[in-house]
Each structure stands twice: as C-alpha cells, then as structure tokens.
Amino acid sequence: MVKVSDRQMPAVLFEDVKKRYGDLQVLNGISSQIALGEVVAIIGSSGCGKSTLLRCINRLEAINGGRLIVNGIDISSPTLPNQELRRLRTNVGMVFQQFNLFPHKSVLDNLTLAPQKVLGQSKSESKQTAYFFLEKVGLAEKAGAYPDQLSGGQKQRVAIARALCMKPQVMLFDEPTSALDPELVGEVLLVMKQLAEEGMTMVIVTHEMQFAREVADRVIFLNKGYIEEEGSAREVLTNPQSDRLQTFLSRMSFAAV
C-alpha cells in the first residue's frame, strides 16, 4: 500500500476502485496508476465505465470501494474535507464533451472568472494568464468574442484554455472531440498534442485511435467495468492480446498496422 506522504507517488493511483449506481456496478475493481507527465488514453465501448472513471479522479463521482489518490490527496473518504476537495479541483482540470462556456460572457471573461474567484488572482493577473493560454490555443484574437460567435472547434479550444488558466497539475479530457464536426477535430487534437509534448499529465477518454497511438504513452482498455488490457499505446493498439479488444478495434475507423 502506497503512503500518501510518499514523494514518488504517481499523479493518480487506483487501488481496487469500485463504483456503482444503485444495483448497477460500473467499475469493478480498477487498479492502475498514472505517472507525473504521462499521457494515458482510456478506450472502450459506450457504457464500459470510461467517463465514470475519469469523473472519479476529480471527485465529480465518489467511489464506493477501494482507494483513489490524486496528487497526494486520498479522495476515497466519503467525508473528504471541503478544503481538500477544493485543493483537488484546483489541481485537476477537466474538459468535457460539451464546452460548458457561459454564453453571456466573453471568451476573456470565461477564462478569468475562476482564477479570480477560486485562486484569488487580480483582474490584471488573470487577464495576463488568459491571454497567454489563448495564444497557446491560437485564439488570442477571439478574447472579446462570445461563445455563439465561435465554431465548435474554437469553443473547445477556449474550454481547454479555460482549464489551463487554473494551472492544473493534471488535465482530464472526456471525449473532447465527440461533439465536433469531423473537420474541426484536428484543431483540438493539435492543441492536446502540444500539451502532451510539453509534459502535461493527461488522462483522455477518446475514440480517436490514431491520436491515442501517436500521443498517448499508455492505453487502458475498459470492458464491463474491468481493465481488460493495458500497456504502451503502440503495443496495445497494434498488437491487441484480448479477443474483446481485437473486436473493438476492428469496428473503429483505425487500422492496427
């Protein structure tokens, strides 16, 4: 059992993690870990527990069994102190399928709100940070625009910049391209690839197999709430060992060659 005080602790540690909704068991004893600076793609069919596992990492869902440690915070307890929960949410950024931008606020205001309210940044500091990350995602010229003036790809890039403004240690992506038209997917994946190259710890639920193979260090394949297979991205996606993963990949727009 790894101690919370262990300096070598990974960014995320799962120990026999279980999650159920009523009588429905969604996660059936997940044990794995994600190292600092590692990019991990979580793949699997709809309903296998991918998004639930991701949401457990920032305590949007509380686990029912096992142990889950994120950035040294043991979040397994059902009575996690609010101070620890706040520290967790500050250190873990999340980008959802939908963009969740405030439609009545400009792009700049969407990015500066949380740093001012949660981190206590001044207006000038939060604006400086916002412009830095808007520049990073290629949208500095859209600072004064409103969400309904942006394309889907631009909205998702703004959502990524907004998460980065909190300067998280871990970034979670829940199928960030699933709501986009195909021609807009590439611009979002390009930003994510850049973050990976810069050493950001990232956990990505995705159906983009080619992206997972090129960018992820490791892939976790979930099946019915279990880890069916995991390993290096290229090995898992080009040489799947389980029949279930072979079948899954054969149905994707991806050639394991």
Side-chain angles (χ1 to χ4, degrees), residues 9-28:
M9 175 170 288
V12 183
L13 177 66
F14 304 97
E15 292 182 339
D16 197 30
V17 169
K18 298 180 177 68
K19 174 64 182 178
R20 67 177 181 275
Y21 299 103
D23 295 330
L24 178 62
Q25 192 74 33
V26 180
L27 300 178
N28 291 288

Side-chain angles (χ1 to χ4, degrees), residues 50-118:
K50 305 185 303 295
S51 293
T52 297
L53 183 62
L54 200 71
R55 290 167 66 87
C56 287
I57 295 175
N58 68 350
R59 193 59 187 272
L60 287 177
E61 300 286 353
I63 65 175
N64 301 118
R67 194 165 182 240
L68 177 52
I69 301 173
V70 181
N71 286 336
I73 304 172
D74 189 338
I75 65 172
S76 310
S77 171
T79 57
L80 185 70
N82 287 335
Q83 182 179 359
E84 289 290 83
L85 182 59
R86 179 170 175 166
R87 185 160 70 95
L88 171 76
R89 298 271 173 79
T90 301
N91 290 334
V92 179
M94 187 162 185
V95 177
F96 299 87
Q97 297 178 31
Q98 301 299 326
F99 322 116
N100 296 331
L101 300 174
F102 293 111
H104 62 292
K105 292 184 177 293
S106 69
V107 166
L108 184 62
D109 288 341
N110 267 279
L111 267 62
T112 58
L113 181 61
Q116 290 177 24
K117 297 291 186 181
V118 178

Side-chain angles (χ1 to χ4, degrees), residues 216-230:
D217 299 302
R218 195 157 48 87
V219 165
I220 295 175
F221 174 60
L222 292 186
N223 182 33
K224 298 180 179 179
Y226 296 93
I227 295 180
E228 179 91 7
E229 193 167 336
E230 72 174 309

Side-chain angles (χ1 to χ4, degrees), residues 161-174:
R162 179 180 59 181
L164 291 172
C165 281
M166 296 296 288
K167 299 181 180 178
Q169 297 175 0
V170 178
M171 281 285 287
L172 310 177
F173 294 87
D174 189 4

